[in-house]
PDB file of all heavy atoms in Angstrom:
ATOM      1  N   GLY A  74     -40.194  78.910 -19.115  1.00  0.00           N
ATOM      2  CA  GLY A  74     -40.176  78.334 -17.771  1.00  0.00           C
ATOM      3  C   GLY A  74     -41.229  78.942 -16.857  1.00  0.00           C
ATOM      4  O   GLY A  74     -41.828  78.261 -16.028  1.00  0.00           O
ATOM      5  N   VAL A  75     -41.470  80.251 -17.007  1.00  0.00           N
ATOM      6  CA  VAL A  75     -42.508  80.910 -16.214  1.00  0.00           C
ATOM      7  C   VAL A  75     -43.862  80.292 -16.508  1.00  0.00           C
ATOM      8  O   VAL A  75     -44.630  79.961 -15.593  1.00  0.00           O
ATOM      9  CB  VAL A  75     -42.549  82.431 -16.504  1.00  0.00           C
ATOM     10  CG1 VAL A  75     -43.803  83.060 -15.924  1.00  0.00           C
ATOM     11  CG2 VAL A  75     -41.329  83.116 -15.952  1.00  0.00           C
ATOM     12  N   TRP A  76     -44.158  80.102 -17.791  1.00  0.00           N
ATOM     13  CA  TRP A  76     -45.472  79.562 -18.159  1.00  0.00           C
ATOM     14  C   TRP A  76     -45.578  78.079 -17.842  1.00  0.00           C
ATOM     15  O   TRP A  76     -46.661  77.599 -17.468  1.00  0.00           O
ATOM     16  CB  TRP A  76     -45.764  79.861 -19.625  1.00  0.00           C
ATOM     17  CG  TRP A  76     -45.957  81.327 -19.806  1.00  0.00           C
ATOM     18  CD1 TRP A  76     -45.084  82.206 -20.382  1.00  0.00           C
ATOM     19  CD2 TRP A  76     -47.053  82.102 -19.323  1.00  0.00           C
ATOM     20  NE1 TRP A  76     -45.579  83.481 -20.313  1.00  0.00           N
ATOM     21  CE2 TRP A  76     -46.797  83.450 -19.661  1.00  0.00           C
ATOM     22  CE3 TRP A  76     -48.224  81.805 -18.643  1.00  0.00           C
ATOM     23  CZ2 TRP A  76     -47.673  84.480 -19.355  1.00  0.00           C
ATOM     24  CZ3 TRP A  76     -49.101  82.833 -18.336  1.00  0.00           C
ATOM     25  CH2 TRP A  76     -48.819  84.151 -18.690  1.00  0.00           C
ATOM     26  N   SER A  77     -44.493  77.345 -17.964  1.00  0.00           N
ATOM     27  CA  SER A  77     -44.504  75.938 -17.554  1.00  0.00           C
ATOM     28  C   SER A  77     -44.734  75.830 -16.051  1.00  0.00           C
ATOM     29  O   SER A  77     -45.527  75.010 -15.590  1.00  0.00           O
ATOM     30  CB  SER A  77     -43.185  75.259 -17.917  1.00  0.00           C
ATOM     31  OG  SER A  77     -42.983  75.274 -19.298  1.00  0.00           O
ATOM     32  N   GLY A  78     -44.046  76.668 -15.303  1.00  0.00           N
ATOM     33  CA  GLY A  78     -44.225  76.688 -13.854  1.00  0.00           C
ATOM     34  C   GLY A  78     -45.620  77.116 -13.453  1.00  0.00           C
ATOM     35  O   GLY A  78     -46.190  76.607 -12.482  1.00  0.00           O
ATOM     36  N   SER A  79     -46.200  78.041 -14.208  1.00  0.00           N
ATOM     37  CA  SER A  79     -47.567  78.472 -13.932  1.00  0.00           C
ATOM     38  C   SER A  79     -48.549  77.324 -14.146  1.00  0.00           C
ATOM     39  O   SER A  79     -49.457  77.111 -13.334  1.00  0.00           O
ATOM     40  CB  SER A  79     -47.959  79.644 -14.837  1.00  0.00           C
ATOM     41  OG  SER A  79     -47.154  80.753 -14.585  1.00  0.00           O
ATOM     42  N   ALA A  80     -48.366  76.589 -15.230  1.00  0.00           N
ATOM     43  CA  ALA A  80     -49.258  75.461 -15.515  1.00  0.00           C
ATOM     44  C   ALA A  80     -49.129  74.374 -14.462  1.00  0.00           C
ATOM     45  O   ALA A  80     -50.136  73.873 -13.940  1.00  0.00           O
ATOM     46  CB  ALA A  80     -48.951  74.903 -16.903  1.00  0.00           C
ATOM     47  N   VAL A  81     -47.904  74.008 -14.109  1.00  0.00           N
ATOM     48  CA  VAL A  81     -47.692  72.973 -13.099  1.00  0.00           C
ATOM     49  C   VAL A  81     -48.149  73.465 -11.727  1.00  0.00           C
ATOM     50  O   VAL A  81     -48.759  72.717 -10.952  1.00  0.00           O
ATOM     51  CB  VAL A  81     -46.215  72.512 -13.078  1.00  0.00           C
ATOM     52  CG1 VAL A  81     -45.935  71.596 -11.908  1.00  0.00           C
ATOM     53  CG2 VAL A  81     -45.861  71.823 -14.385  1.00  0.00           C
ATOM     54  N   GLY A  82     -47.896  74.735 -11.407  1.00  0.00           N
ATOM     55  CA  GLY A  82     -48.338  75.298 -10.137  1.00  0.00           C
ATOM     56  C   GLY A  82     -49.847  75.328 -10.020  1.00  0.00           C
ATOM     57  O   GLY A  82     -50.408  74.989  -8.974  1.00  0.00           O
ATOM     58  N   LEU A  83     -50.514  75.713 -11.094  1.00  0.00           N
ATOM     59  CA  LEU A  83     -51.975  75.737 -11.089  1.00  0.00           C
ATOM     60  C   LEU A  83     -52.552  74.339 -10.939  1.00  0.00           C
ATOM     61  O   LEU A  83     -53.490  74.110 -10.166  1.00  0.00           O
ATOM     62  CB  LEU A  83     -52.481  76.398 -12.369  1.00  0.00           C
ATOM     63  CG  LEU A  83     -53.947  76.764 -12.426  1.00  0.00           C
ATOM     64  CD1 LEU A  83     -54.297  77.750 -11.317  1.00  0.00           C
ATOM     65  CD2 LEU A  83     -54.285  77.362 -13.781  1.00  0.00           C
ATOM     66  N   PHE A  84     -51.966  73.394 -11.662  1.00  0.00           N
ATOM     67  CA  PHE A  84     -52.384  71.994 -11.541  1.00  0.00           C
ATOM     68  C   PHE A  84     -52.191  71.496 -10.111  1.00  0.00           C
ATOM     69  O   PHE A  84     -53.070  70.848  -9.539  1.00  0.00           O
ATOM     70  CB  PHE A  84     -51.579  71.127 -12.523  1.00  0.00           C
ATOM     71  CG  PHE A  84     -51.834  69.662 -12.378  1.00  0.00           C
ATOM     72  CD1 PHE A  84     -52.900  69.065 -13.013  1.00  0.00           C
ATOM     73  CD2 PHE A  84     -50.992  68.881 -11.602  1.00  0.00           C
ATOM     74  CE1 PHE A  84     -53.138  67.709 -12.880  1.00  0.00           C
ATOM     75  CE2 PHE A  84     -51.215  67.531 -11.454  1.00  0.00           C
ATOM     76  CZ  PHE A  84     -52.294  66.935 -12.099  1.00  0.00           C
ATOM     77  N   SER A  85     -51.038  71.793  -9.540  1.00  0.00           N
ATOM     78  CA  SER A  85     -50.727  71.338  -8.177  1.00  0.00           C
ATOM     79  C   SER A  85     -51.656  71.963  -7.152  1.00  0.00           C
ATOM     80  O   SER A  85     -52.080  71.304  -6.203  1.00  0.00           O
ATOM     81  CB  SER A  85     -49.281  71.688  -7.824  1.00  0.00           C
ATOM     82  OG  SER A  85     -48.398  71.116  -8.739  1.00  0.00           O
TER      83      SER A  85
END
Side-chain angles (χ1 to χ4, degrees):
V75 168
W76 292 106
S77 298
S79 297
V81 172
L83 192 60
F84 174 85
S85 302

